[in-house]
Amino acid sequence: MTATEPVDPELLKLYDDFETEHLNPLWTQLGDLMPMVPTSKAVPFVWKWSTLYPLAQRAGDLVPVGRGGERRAIALANPGLGGVPYVTPTLWAAIQYLGPKETAPEHRHSQNAFRFVVEGEGVWTVVNGDPVAMRRGDFLLTPGWNFHGHHNETDKPMAWIDGLDIPFVNYTDTGFFEFGSEGVTDEGTPDISRSERLWVHPGLRPLVGVDRKTSSPIACYRWVYTDRALNEQLALEDEGYAATPEPGHAAIRYTNPTTGGDVMPTIRAEFHRLRAGAQTRARRDVGSVVFQVFEGQGCFHLADKSHDVTKGDMIVVPSWTEWSLETDNGIDLFAFSDAPIVERLHFNRTIISEGA
């Protein structure tokens, strides 16, 4: 009502009574509760590796790792989310730093987690007693409620990114946490984990554990296989075969071999390679995605802004944000998203532009 219109005292009393009884009328909030399109509070943003890594190094010098704080992990806090340590309303991302000869003790939690290594080696993550080597380009899983810890066997520090579904689990009040060993249950340093020895054979599935598993039983997806798959897609494209989702754009999705679906029930993970001169079509997706540049340089167009990115940089694309990517010299990117949640609830929707 305008300032010149009379105020109905009965209506004012009705609203006061609503407030007293902890009630809210839909007709005063429809635009906020049911917007015409998704309007995420998260904003598109880029974190530069040249800033992230030195800060992690400083934390390594000043902050101990061990029981209590558990991990020297520094979360990416989306500027639009009011200071909470979330990269999007459903996803958590952080840079974790482990110093020379350090051990992060074991624990487990309901939240699903992964690690992606942009550079370095020498750390083993131990998942339910299985030591798994972490090396450049590797994608490693820690599904919910698996005990896990990390130990660095070298005289050099190592950093990687962690991704979890912490915001989603916290919002749904479904999280549990439990401390484990003060160290790690197996200090071995095998080249290949037991899970890889059992499961990582192309097109072959062991006849043990033949049931469908909620999360992938593969502890680590090695860079050598990812790199080879991407190279072959581009080679086939050069030979005239339909092997890439867009010209000059190779891409793979990490999958659960027992279902053919995503590696974990709440997180999708992919890897993308654009050859020199390639560009993606502009698109919008329901659900949010986080990228990390693995190698190369490019330019991300996020809504109405453009950002030059290079190795290690992390980029967040909130739900229904228009984005595209182009590169002059070629670029490799790791990506993870909340797509399994969105798709399982049948909220998924995508718009892709017709032009290049």
Side-chain angles (χ1 to χ4, degrees), residues 11 45 81 89 107 119 135 152 191 195-196 216 273 306:
L11 183 59
F45 197 77
L81 297 180
H107 62 214
E119 60 184 353
R135 305 184 186 100
N152 186 346
D191 287 338
S195 78
E196 293 168 82
S216 172
R273 171 171 291 167
S306 297

Coordinates of all heavy atoms in Angstrom, one line a residue, residues 11 45 81 89 107 119 135 152 191 195-196 216 273 306:
L11 N -5.8 -5.5 9.5 CA -4.7 -6.1 8.7 C -3.4 -6.0 9.5 O -2.6 -7.0 9.5 CB -4.6 -5.5 7.4 CG -3.6 -6.1 6.4 CD1 -3.9 -7.5 6.1 CD2 -3.5 -5.3 5.1
F45 N 33.2 -16.6 -9.1 CA 34.4 -16.0 -8.5 C 35.6 -16.9 -9.0 O 35.4 -18.1 -9.3 CB 34.3 -16.0 -7.0 CG 35.3 -15.2 -6.3 CD1 35.1 -13.8 -6.3 CD2 36.4 -15.7 -5.7 CE1 36.0 -13.0 -5.6 CE2 37.4 -14.9 -5.1 CZ 37.2 -13.5 -5.0
L81 N 28.0 -15.6 0.0 CA 27.4 -16.5 1.0 C 27.6 -16.0 2.4 O 27.5 -16.8 3.4 CB 27.8 -17.9 0.8 CG 27.4 -18.6 -0.5 CD1 27.9 -20.0 -0.6 CD2 25.9 -18.5 -0.7
P89 N 26.2 -23.2 -2.3 CA 25.3 -23.7 -1.3 C 25.3 -25.2 -1.1 O 24.8 -25.7 0.0 CB 23.9 -23.2 -1.8 CG 24.2 -22.0 -2.6 CD 25.5 -22.4 -3.3
H107 N 40.1 -40.2 10.6 CA 38.7 -39.9 11.1 C 37.8 -40.3 9.9 O 38.2 -40.7 8.9 CB 38.5 -38.5 11.5 CG 38.7 -37.4 10.4 ND1 39.2 -36.2 10.6 CD2 38.4 -37.5 9.1 CE1 39.2 -35.5 9.5 NE2 38.7 -36.3 8.5
E119 N 49.7 -30.7 -8.4 CA 51.1 -30.8 -8.5 C 51.7 -31.6 -7.3 O 51.1 -31.5 -6.2 CB 51.8 -29.5 -8.7 CG 51.6 -28.5 -7.6 CD 52.2 -27.2 -7.9 OE1 52.9 -27.0 -8.9 OE2 52.0 -26.2 -7.1
R135 N 49.5 -38.5 -6.6 CA 50.4 -37.9 -7.5 C 49.7 -36.9 -8.5 O 48.5 -37.0 -8.6 CB 51.1 -39.0 -8.4 CG 51.7 -40.1 -7.6 CD 52.5 -41.1 -8.5 NE 53.0 -42.3 -7.7 CZ 52.4 -43.5 -7.7 NH1 51.2 -43.7 -8.3 NH2 52.9 -44.4 -7.0
N152 N 52.8 -37.9 4.8 CA 53.8 -37.4 3.9 C 55.2 -38.1 4.2 O 55.7 -37.9 5.3 CB 53.9 -35.9 4.0 CG 54.8 -35.3 2.9 OD1 55.6 -36.0 2.2 ND2 54.8 -34.0 2.8
D191 N 53.1 -48.6 -4.7 CA 52.8 -47.8 -5.9 C 51.4 -47.8 -6.3 O 50.8 -46.9 -6.8 CB 53.7 -48.3 -7.1 CG 55.1 -48.0 -6.9 OD1 55.5 -47.0 -6.2 OD2 56.0 -48.7 -7.5
S195 N 42.7 -51.4 -3.9 CA 41.5 -51.2 -4.7 C 41.8 -51.1 -6.2 O 41.0 -51.6 -7.0 CB 40.8 -49.9 -4.2 OG 41.4 -48.8 -4.7
E196 N 42.9 -50.5 -6.5 CA 43.2 -50.4 -8.0 C 43.6 -51.8 -8.5 O 43.2 -52.1 -9.7 CB 44.4 -49.4 -8.1 CG 44.1 -48.0 -7.8 CD 45.3 -47.2 -7.7 OE1 45.8 -46.7 -8.8 OE2 45.8 -46.9 -6.6
S216 N 31.9 -45.4 -5.8 CA 32.9 -46.2 -6.6 C 33.9 -46.9 -5.6 O 34.4 -46.3 -4.7 CB 33.7 -45.3 -7.6 OG 34.7 -46.1 -8.2
R273 N 39.6 -31.0 -21.6 CA 40.8 -30.6 -22.3 C 40.3 -29.8 -23.6 O 39.6 -30.4 -24.4 CB 41.7 -31.7 -22.7 CG 42.8 -31.4 -23.6 CD 43.8 -32.5 -23.8 NE 44.5 -32.7 -22.5 CZ 45.3 -33.8 -22.3 NH1 45.4 -34.8 -23.2 NH2 45.9 -33.9 -21.1
S306 N 34.8 -11.4 -17.6 CA 35.8 -12.3 -18.1 C 37.0 -12.4 -17.2 O 37.4 -11.4 -16.6 CB 36.2 -11.9 -19.5 OG 35.1 -11.9 -20.4

